[in-house]
């Protein structure tokens, strides 16, 4: 309010203070969770890769997620490296726009 301010300038005898409130916009952080892409020559053993990369704006320090990567490729061919996630305690989902992207697992022949 104008009464919170005092004119201490000797150059201006009469000063009127006009208060104009500004606006603050707080936007959600964009976070992209991407499971790993991996490949290997077919050996009869499952190909898995449990890595998940956090991209975009990322999580605020101390916040984040725990990942359960379920993708697996045993035969020659390829498939999505599927995963789910659960936000860590204290991570508010309303503060984030979270997008998930599956990497690709590929078993190939020589």
């Amino acid at each position: 309010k104008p009464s919170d301010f005092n004119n201490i300038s000797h150059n201006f005898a009469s000063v009127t203070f006009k208060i104009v409130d500004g606006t603050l916009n707080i936007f959600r952080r964009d976070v992209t969770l991407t499971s790993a892409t991996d490949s290997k020559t077919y050996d009869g053993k499952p190909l898995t890769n449990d890595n998940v990369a956090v991209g975009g704006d990322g999580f605020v320090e101390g916040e984040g997620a725990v990942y359960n990567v379920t993708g697996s490729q045993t035969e020659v061919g390829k498939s999505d490296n599927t995963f789910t996630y659960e936000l860590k305690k204290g991570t508010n989902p309303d503060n984030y726009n979270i997008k998930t992207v599956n990497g690709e697992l590929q078993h190939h022949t020589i």
Side-chain angles (χ1 to χ4, degrees):
K1 58 189 176 190
S3 61
D4 291 335
F5 299 90
N6 294 316
N7 176 19
I8 59 171
S9 173
H10 298 290
N11 296 326
F12 302 98
S14 177
V15 174
T16 303
F17 293 101
K18 192 180 256 187
I19 309 301
V20 179
D21 290 332
T23 302
L24 296 176
N25 293 315
I26 299 175
F27 298 100
R28 292 178 177 210
R29 292 176 69 100
D30 292 323
V31 175
T32 302
L33 305 175
T34 306
S35 62
T37 292
D38 207 350
S39 66
K40 72 175 184 174
T41 302
Y42 176 73
D43 61 2
K45 297 177 185 172
L47 170 60
T48 61
N49 189 320
D50 294 338
N51 292 316
V52 174
V54 179
D57 298 326
F59 291 106
V60 170
E61 185 176 335
E63 297 186 7
V66 176
Y67 310 101
N68 180 30
V69 182
T70 54
S72 181
Q73 182 66 33
T74 303
E75 303 298 323
V76 172
K78 57 187 171 182
S79 62
D80 286 344
N81 192 12
T82 54
F83 71 101
T84 58
Y85 68 92
E86 184 176 328
L87 295 178
K88 293 179 182 177
K89 184 177 180 176
T91 303
N92 184 343
D94 293 337
N95 293 337
Y96 298 95
N97 293 317
I98 300 175
K99 175 183 172 187
T100 60
V101 178
N102 289 328
E104 184 178 87
L105 300 173
Q106 182 175 11
H107 254 149
H108 52 83
T109 57
I110 299 177

